[in-house]
Amino acid sequence: MSGMFTDRDEDRDGAAPAAGAEVEPTQEGTAPPRAPGRRRSRTVLVAAAFVVVTAVAAVGALGLGGDGGEGPAAPPRAGSTVAVTRATLVERTKVDGTLGYGAEIPLPAKASGTVTWLPEAGTVAERGDTLLRVDDRPVVLLYGTLPMYRELGTTAGTAAPDTTGNPTPPAPGGAGGKGGTDGGTDGGTDTASGGTTGTGGGTDTGGGGNTDAPARSTPPQPLRGMDVLQFESNLAALGYTGFTVDERFTSGTERAVKRWQKSLGLPETGRVGLGDVVYASGRIRLGQPSVRLGAAAGENVLGYTGTTRKVVVDASAQEASWAVRGAGVAVGLPDGTAVRGQVASVGRQVTAPEGDGGTSGAAPTVPVTVTITDQRSLGRLESGPVSVEYVGRKRENVLAVPVAALVALAEGGHGLETEDGRFVTARTGLFADGMVEVSGPALRAGLKVRIPQ
């Protein structure tokens, strides 16, 4: 039929005509219908082919394809490279500490009476300084380790016995009365002076010479002891002389004590009372008084510490192996600076955490005291929280890489990616300062490895 497409024509001409081609009209004057189904089929096939090609390219880039033979290495991925080096790794650990002057010790003052003057907290006292006043008498600081336990001064002499071992008669004529009585009895008359002459034919000599010699006594004996030596050493250090520094409290010591008492405004007795002085090992820093003025004096009136700032760390009893006397540490201050410290002592008493009944699982602690030799490095800081960094384990001359170079392997463990994209197994050791100890048969110093990005 003229004017109509045949099936053969439709198969031949089913494709879309070229741009600008003339289309022969049908009887109705319209263009013949196209085949949209076939256009969609071709589009889907082209897209699928593109996805397959992209996936193959990605697999090749990752080096996951192939039979594992020695083919060309995969293109390297982005990331910097570093060399495996030999180094000494040191493990450092930080713990919290507290800066201060240490725990206060009660002042061993033995003066009795009313407290009439107290110093300000934080006052530093030296040898010869007044620590407090009791009944308006100064209590003076001296240096020493032996506490004041008795009064110091010269001792009184004692009467000397006669050759028979009996005491010497106390006064002349005392026994002459008895001689006079005997004379009066024998002669009938006794004189008032001792009755050496009597009537009735008798003469009495008053018991064979009753004229008494003066009472004999020993000279004053000096007080002896190590406490005397300690006191005299202080007296000499304060500038007083005229005596020998030894274990004897002599008349020369007494005269020096009187001069010292005069300088303090005390009665010049030459004797040192039990509560007049307090001994300490050196300069001290006085704490906050525990009583007010007008209270009764006692050993708990005032506390003191040393004048050296130190750090106390409550270290875990299970991890305190680093705390060895003389071990060096670094003390981190609040302003970010660090100063050198040294372990001075380690407590022997283990303490459980406060308020812990054993249920929290917190580890018990021991006190570790750290001294700081250069006190000037602390500036004006007197107290506050600080950190203490100590050295734990140490590994010398080992292979090491930055921790960031480690990669986790699918089969487990860690590895390193070489510069050409291969992965080698790496056993890890000590981690310290951003580095890690590594070992393995394929590792050597100088090997370039990649840090993934």
Side-chain angles (χ1 to χ4, degrees):
M1 180 180 300
S2 63
M4 298 291 293
F5 287 106
T6 63
D7 292 340
R8 186 183 301 266
D9 294 334
E10 183 180 20
D11 291 339
R12 184 180 62 252
D13 301 325
E22 183 179 353
V23 179
E24 184 178 355
T26 60
Q27 285 184 344
E28 291 81 5
T30 62
R34 298 206 174 102
R38 292 190 179 186
R39 173 184 287 268
R40 284 195 302 269
S41 298
R42 289 183 180 180
T43 301
V44 170
L45 288 175
V46 172
F50 177 77
V51 170
V52 171
V53 172
T54 302
V56 171
V59 171
L62 293 176
L64 300 179
D67 55 0
E70 296 185 359
R77 293 183 289 171
S80 59
T81 59
V82 295
V84 178
T85 60
R86 286 201 171 273
T88 296
L89 300 183
V90 180
E91 181 185 59
R92 293 178 171 86
T93 304
K94 285 186 178 181
V95 293
D96 295 330
T98 303
L99 177 68
Y101 291 92
E104 287 191 2
I105 304 171
L107 192 72
K110 298 184 182 298
S112 60
T114 302
V115 177
T116 54
W117 178 83
L118 288 167
E120 293 184 2
T123 299
V124 175
E126 299 180 345
R127 180 178 9 226
D129 289 345
T130 298
L131 301 175
L132 72 158
R133 298 181 75 92
V134 178
D135 289 346
D136 205 28
R137 290 174 59 92
V139 178
V140 180
L141 173 67
L142 298 180
Y143 294 169
T145 57
L146 188 63
M148 189 74 173
Y149 66 90
R150 62 176 175 174
E151 187 178 87
L152 301 181
T154 56
T155 60
T158 58
D162 64 11
T163 56
T164 62
N166 298 318
T168 302
K178 183 179 185 295
T181 301
D182 294 341
T185 301
D186 295 338
T189 302
D190 188 13
T191 63
S193 62
T196 59
T197 303
T199 60
T203 300
D204 189 7
T205 60
N210 285 328
T211 302
D212 299 326
R216 292 171 295 168
S217 61
T218 59
Q221 297 296 315
L223 192 68
R224 297 174 180 269
M226 293 299 297
D227 56 337
V228 176
L229 175 62
Q230 180 174 271
F231 174 77
E232 288 185 340
S233 299
N234 280 273
L235 203 58
L238 291 173
Y240 296 92
T241 60
F243 61 94
T244 302
V245 178
D246 54 16
E247 298 181 11
R248 301 187 307 154
F249 196 106
T250 63
S251 58
T253 309
E254 184 180 79
R255 289 190 294 271
V257 169
K258 288 180 179 179
R259 295 194 299 271
W260 175 57
Q261 290 172 330
K262 182 178 180 180
S263 70
L264 295 173
L266 293 172
E268 299 173 37
T269 63
R271 303 182 69 85
V272 184
L274 188 64
D276 290 345
V277 300
V278 170
Y279 287 104
S281 59
R283 299 168 66 241
I284 61 175
R285 182 177 184 273
L286 300 174
Q288 188 70 34
S290 59
V291 299
R292 296 179 179 272
L293 294 180
E299 292 193 2
N300 293 323
V301 169
L302 197 59
Y304 73 96
T305 65
T307 58
T308 302
R309 288 166 288 182
K310 60 190 69 176
V311 176
V312 177
V313 175
D314 290 329
S316 170
Q318 299 175 353
E319 302 175 358
S321 59
W322 62 272
V324 179
R325 186 173 181 178
V329 297
V331 177
L333 303 180
D335 61 0
T337 61
V339 297
R340 292 182 179 181
Q342 189 177 64
V343 176
S345 64
V346 182
R348 298 183 179 181
Q349 183 176 358
V350 178
T351 304
E354 293 184 5
D356 180 28
T359 58
S360 66
T365 60
V366 293
V368 177
T369 301
V370 175
T371 56
I372 300 170
T373 303
D374 185 6
Q375 291 284 297
R376 292 177 299 178
S377 64
L378 295 172
R380 302 182 62 182
L381 186 64
E382 291 191 345
S383 62
V386 295
S387 64
V388 174
E389 183 180 84
Y390 62 89
V391 174
R393 294 181 297 165
K394 184 177 181 180
R395 297 282 291 166
E396 297 181 354
N397 195 30
V398 295
L399 295 177
V401 296
V403 175
L406 290 177
V407 294
L409 300 179
E411 61 271 21
H414 295 89
L416 298 171
E417 182 183 1
T418 61
E419 195 174 21
D420 58 3
R422 294 179 297 107
F423 289 88
V424 294
T425 302
R427 292 186 295 272
T428 59
L430 180 65
F431 288 76
D433 298 329
M435 302 290 286
V436 57
E437 174 190 359
V438 292
S439 60
L443 299 181
R444 68 182 187 281
L447 177 66
K448 293 296 184 71
V449 296
R450 190 173 302 279
I451 299 179
Q453 290 184 349

